[in-house]
Amino acid sequence: MIVGVPKESFPGERRVALVPSVLPNLAKAGLEVVVETGAGTEAGYPDAAYTEKGAKVLPSRAEVFSTADIVVQVLCYGSNDKTGKADVPLMRRDQALIGFLRPMGAREVVEEVARTGVTAFAVELMPRSTRAQSMDALSSMATACGYKAVLIAGDVLPRFFPMLTTAAGTITPARVLVIGAGVAGLQAIATAKRLGAVVSAYDLRPAVKEQVQSLGGRFVELAIEAKDAQDARGYARAQDETFYARQRELLGRVVAESDVVITTAVVPGQKAPVLVTAEMVKAMAPGSVIVDLAAERGGNCELTRADETVMVNGVTIIGRINLASTVPYHASQLYARNLTAFLQHLTKKGKIELNLEDEIIRDTLLTRGGEVVQARIREFFKMPTLVAQGKA
Ligand code: NAD
């Protein structure tokens, strides 16, 4: 089968779905690769690097779609709400599509993709299991975001991160608070520690305390306990407004004492909880910085504006989205390895084998034969149960 890599079309996107170094492994799995010209250029992978590894470079997006049996993208229509729609007429019933599809985004968009007949796999739905770890693109991208959030904060912060002992006196280290210690949060803690900051972190899932401490962070304990904090898949459960209000009240002091606050708190399929209010921002020292990694989902800070930087009372609030795209070389490398592991899992002797008994395939399979087939997503959108559901 032929795997096609179109150039990413989301404005400002610099990543690419496959990098040249994974092509030999795909060839071993019986998969040929075609790449749209320039697809990898912005990530640091020129056309020649792909041809050297056996790929064919095609001159247009339309040709990649018409040649490929499997199209792989970073941001497919769904997660690409700016230009992704243009791909809809290019999708085919006898074709597979793999990438970020934002399956819990807009129902109309998921249905529009389904109507093309394409067999679409949403990488966001990858189970968080040991078996699927090598295919977990969400974690790869969260790693890039957590790392970059700290660098961006450091760039804006009018202070040093590390403690410095100089002839001109001692500089005290920056105090960094990370709210939400999932994959992005843990990477932010590690990065801020490496830069010499004093790092604290808070998460409503008490299970992460040890992970925070193992990275040298102080775990902030609040006198409040979340109900059923974690679901079976390890994700945080949404809490009621009384909980969030109490949480904000208790977090206020810790936020006020921090020079940098990095927020990453999200709950799958929901608007991000507001954990830092305008009032809490007012209590922060001028020059402090908030990097809100939940900006795209509404933001953890009341003052965040998605993809904008705002300054309130001398506090900079950064709501940049798509941060993984700002580390395109390594973000693409990680993503390409995740996709390669998935493609190796999905195919046998170069052909797709849709084994729906397999959790990895069943969970990620979003649309097929004109329908949205993923049971959890149908339930999420309150769609009627499919007759063949379960067998999908
Ligand atoms: P995420 O991006 O869904 O959320 C980020 C963090 O925000 C989470 O730690 C969550 O608990 C936290 N959060 C949500 N609401 C909050 C609130 N009100 N206050 C404070 N914190 C709040 O998380 P993620 O990084 O995708 O990780 C989700 C889970 O998946 C974790 O349990 C993680 O360990 C697990 N995981 C497992 C694997 C694997 O086994 N292969 C891989 C990656 C992640």
Side-chain angles (χ1 to χ4, degrees), residues 56-348:
K56 195 167 170 192
V57 174
L58 297 177
S60 71
R61 180 175 204 83
E63 267 174 272
V64 171
F65 269 87
S66 67
T67 310
D69 302 298
I70 306 173
V71 173
V72 289
Q73 285 179 277
V74 183
L75 302 181
C76 305
Y77 183 40
S79 55
N80 176 357
D81 49 10
K82 296 257 176 4
T83 54
K85 201 177 172 66
D87 289 343
V88 172
L90 305 177
M91 296 176 193
R92 298 193 317 266
R93 195 162 261 271
D94 62 341
Q95 191 170 55
L97 173 71
I98 308 172
F100 282 97
L101 279 138
R102 202 175 291 168
M104 293 186 186
R107 173 173 168 168
E108 317 78 76
V109 174
V110 178
E111 286 178 327
E112 206 180 337
V113 172
R115 275 197 299 276
T116 66
V118 79
T119 301
F121 296 89
V123 295
E124 293 96 325
L125 298 172
M126 192 64 71
R128 254 54 204 282
S129 61
T130 311
R131 263 179 83 226
Q133 219 158 7
S134 60
M135 309 171 206
D136 183 358
L138 268 186
S139 287
S140 298
M141 298 308 111
T143 299
C145 292
Y147 164 79
K148 205 56 193 276
V150 175
L151 300 192
I152 287 173
D155 190 33
V156 175
L157 190 73
R159 297 168 168 264
F160 287 114
F161 262 54
M163 185 179 103
L164 295 179
T165 310
T166 81
T170 301
I171 300 286
T172 53
R175 290 155 305 179
V176 174
L177 171 68
V178 176
I179 304 180
V183 180
L186 291 172
Q187 187 55 233
I189 296 168
T191 306
K193 275 304 282 185
R194 282 185 210 115
L195 286 173
V198 172
V199 185
S200 322
Y202 165 72
D203 198 294
L204 55 62
R205 293 181 300 118
V208 299
K209 178 177 175 177
E210 260 176 52
Q211 295 166 26
V212 170
Q213 289 173 336
S214 73
L215 292 169
R218 179 179 74 87
F219 188 71
V220 176
E221 314 241 17
L222 300 184
I224 179 173
E225 217 174 283
K227 272 191 222 110
D228 280 339
Q230 189 165 315
D231 69 14
R233 291 173 305 136
Y235 288 107
R237 268 192 230 278
Q239 303 294 311
D240 58 20
E241 193 37 46
T242 321
F243 176 89
Y244 290 133
R246 180 82 180 121
Q247 206 180 26
R248 289 192 286 267
E249 199 181 310
L250 295 169
L251 269 178
R253 191 183 46 82
V254 200
V255 168
E257 286 169 357
S258 304
D259 302 304
V260 172
V261 177
I262 293 173
T263 65
T264 79
V266 292
V267 175
Q270 310 233 355
K271 199 171 167 298
V274 172
L275 303 175
V276 180
T277 59
E279 209 171 310
M280 286 156 81
V281 172
K282 236 190 240 168
M284 295 177 81
S288 308
V289 183
I290 297 175
V291 182
D292 193 340
L293 288 183
E296 214 171 350
R297 305 268 287 272
N300 291 139
C301 174
E302 195 182 349
L303 301 173
T304 299
R305 297 281 160 270
D307 220 17
E308 286 180 31
T309 295
V310 290
M311 173 92 96
V312 178
N313 299 323
V315 178
T316 308
I317 302 143
I318 300 170
R320 276 179 74 171
I321 58 164
N322 209 16
L323 267 190
S325 170
T326 66
V327 205
Y329 185 87
H330 279 135
S332 303
Q333 195 177 90
L334 295 176
Y335 186 67
R337 288 180 187 160
N338 294 143
L339 285 190
T340 302
F342 183 65
L343 285 164
Q344 287 166 330
H345 189 76
L346 179 68
T347 59
K348 216 173 212 162

